[in-house]
Amino acid sequence: MAQRKIRVMVAKPGLDGHDRGARVLARCFREAGFEVIYTGCHQSPEQIATAAMQEDVDLVGLSCLSGAHRHLFPKVVELLREQGAEDIIVIGGGIIPDEDFKMLYNAGLKAIFTPGAPLATIVEWVRNHVVPRS
């Protein structure tokens, strides 16, 4: 039996409306052979966590350029844990200062990619760290 494709959800939490990078990443993931769901802009952490559960994704990729990542990213992880979906991997990207990485990793994010990260590097990370959920 063939293993299902990795299901990825790309989401833009908060009020940040700059989604070019998220759209580029969603297309890159699709071209890499992943199933991709893009939630669009202005999603609350609750909406993202609910959509991740409903779509049965393996990975949530969060993008934030507004500086609210310190609040929004950990909240998504927390909501997934509360709903019993702690096996959904959460990664983040955007304008994220180096000094915030430790706090985000401690909150449960598994990887952080900032502007300039090669798309091939992000795809390789997903392939090496994400196993489709059964």
Side-chain angles (χ1 to χ4, degrees), residues 52-106:
M53 297 283 294
Q54 291 173 343
E55 295 290 344
D56 192 27
V57 299
D58 307 299
L59 172 80
V60 174
L62 300 171
S63 171
C64 184
L65 303 175
S66 69
H69 56 273
R70 291 179 56 91
H71 169 71
L72 297 169
F73 290 4
K75 186 67 176 175
V76 171
V77 173
E78 176 188 325
L79 291 166
L80 289 171
R81 286 181 180 154
E82 286 176 6
Q83 296 180 40
E86 58 276 347
D87 58 334
I88 296 176
I89 295 172
V90 179
I91 63 174
I95 307 295
I96 300 172
D98 292 346
E99 58 266 24
D100 291 348
F101 280 34
K102 184 175 181 182
M103 184 277 287
L104 294 172
Y105 286 132
N106 286 341

Side-chain angles (χ1 to χ4, degrees), residues 4-9 26 29-30 32-37 55 57-59:
R4 81 172 196 169
K5 292 181 178 182
I6 295 172
R7 292 179 59 86
V8 176
M9 189 172 78
F29 284 154
R30 189 176 323 97
F34 306 150
E35 291 185 28
V36 179
I37 297 105
E55 295 290 344
V57 299
D58 307 299
L59 172 80

Side-chain angles (χ1 to χ4, degrees), residues 5-22:
K5 292 181 178 182
I6 295 172
R7 292 179 59 86
V8 176
M9 189 172 78
V10 177
K12 291 283 299 178
L15 301 176
D16 175 15
H18 300 91
D19 69 340
R20 179 178 288 181

Side-chain angles (χ1 to χ4, degrees), residues 107-126:
L109 272 79
K110 300 301 182 195
I112 299 167
F113 299 97
T114 56
L119 295 172
T121 299
I122 300 170
V123 168
E124 183 178 334
W125 188 94
V126 172

